[in-house]
Amino acid sequence: MLLVVNLRHLAKHNLVLQGELPARELDIDTHDEVIRVTQPLRVDAEVQKLAKSLLLRGELRLALDCLCVRCLKPFQHRLAIEDWTCHVPLDGEEAARVVNDCVDLTPYVREDILLALPQHPLCDPKCHGLKQPDIGKAKKSGTGLVGKDPSAWAELDKLQL
Ligand SMILES: [Zn+2]
């Protein structure tokens, strides 16, 4: 499928976008070696024409090929954006390009996927990564909190999003 909608059709009724967008069409360059997009994007959305914009609502799902930033293990991260909404302006400076009454929604979907990519992919939120010699020493100090530090950082990372 392609994420192209015809405005004349939309004037009459809402359109449903349902299917898979090939990775080459989504064309996401993560600029990052730990995340690769090779699987198709699953789209299940409804497009509604408002007075000066298009409203997209639905779900986006994409399996990402990731490398854990802690232990370097390859794993698949299933990205799911539920309750996805997106406004595509048809008026003003930011207006979408209309060609033969059609609007390509791919750039807007690409933008939202980029924003939703994990900042630091982890194979498991509790991944302790590669064994480091200094962890053994720290444990001997008896605080008992050392092992929890990595997940504490993960929580902080989430907040920074
Ligand atoms: Zn890991």
Side-chain angles (χ1 to χ4, degrees):
M1 75 179 291
L2 291 178
L3 297 177
V4 175
V5 291
N6 186 308
L7 293 179
R8 277 186 301 166
H9 297 172
L10 272 170
K12 291 179 207 148
H13 51 77
N14 295 352
L15 290 177
V16 173
L17 291 173
Q18 220 165 29
E20 295 191 339
L21 183 72
R24 66 171 186 282
E25 295 292 340
L26 185 61
D27 193 24
I28 282 192
D29 185 358
T30 58
H31 297 287
D32 199 336
E33 291 190 346
V34 295
I35 304 174
R36 291 230 173 92
V37 179
T38 58
Q39 305 287 318
L41 171 75
R42 282 205 60 82
V43 180
D44 187 355
E46 188 171 4
V47 187
Q48 183 183 1
K49 190 173 180 303
L50 306 179
K52 291 177 178 179
S53 66
L54 297 179
L55 176 63
L56 284 55
R57 274 181 300 193
E59 275 184 20
L60 300 177
R61 290 179 187 276
L62 178 63
L64 304 166
D65 295 325
C66 296
L67 280 182
C68 176
V69 294
R70 285 198 195 128
C71 69
L72 303 178
K73 187 172 89 178
F75 69 102
Q76 204 170 62
H77 176 88
R78 295 184 179 280
L79 185 71
I81 309 179
E82 290 156 2
D83 298 323
W84 174 63
T85 56
C86 176
H87 262 100
V88 177
L90 296 174
D91 198 22
E93 283 182 19
E94 303 279 304
R97 219 158 66 96
V98 180
V99 180
N100 295 330
D101 294 323
C102 290
V103 175
D104 184 2
L105 304 172
T106 311
Y108 301 92
V109 171
R110 181 183 299 129
E111 176 94 15
D112 284 353
I113 292 289
L114 277 170
L115 289 172
L117 292 178
Q119 298 281 302
H120 305 287
L122 293 174
C123 63
D124 185 296
K126 290 177 194 150
C127 175
H128 290 286
L130 299 169
K131 279 180 187 162
Q132 288 168 12
D134 59 340
I135 287 180
K137 269 189 227 160
K139 271 185 182 162
K140 278 181 198 153
S141 70
T143 59
L145 291 170
V146 175
K148 289 178 182 166
D149 280 350
S151 55
W153 281 112
E155 289 303 316
L156 281 176
D157 287 341
K158 275 183 216 157
L159 292 176
Q160 279 163 14
L161 289 176

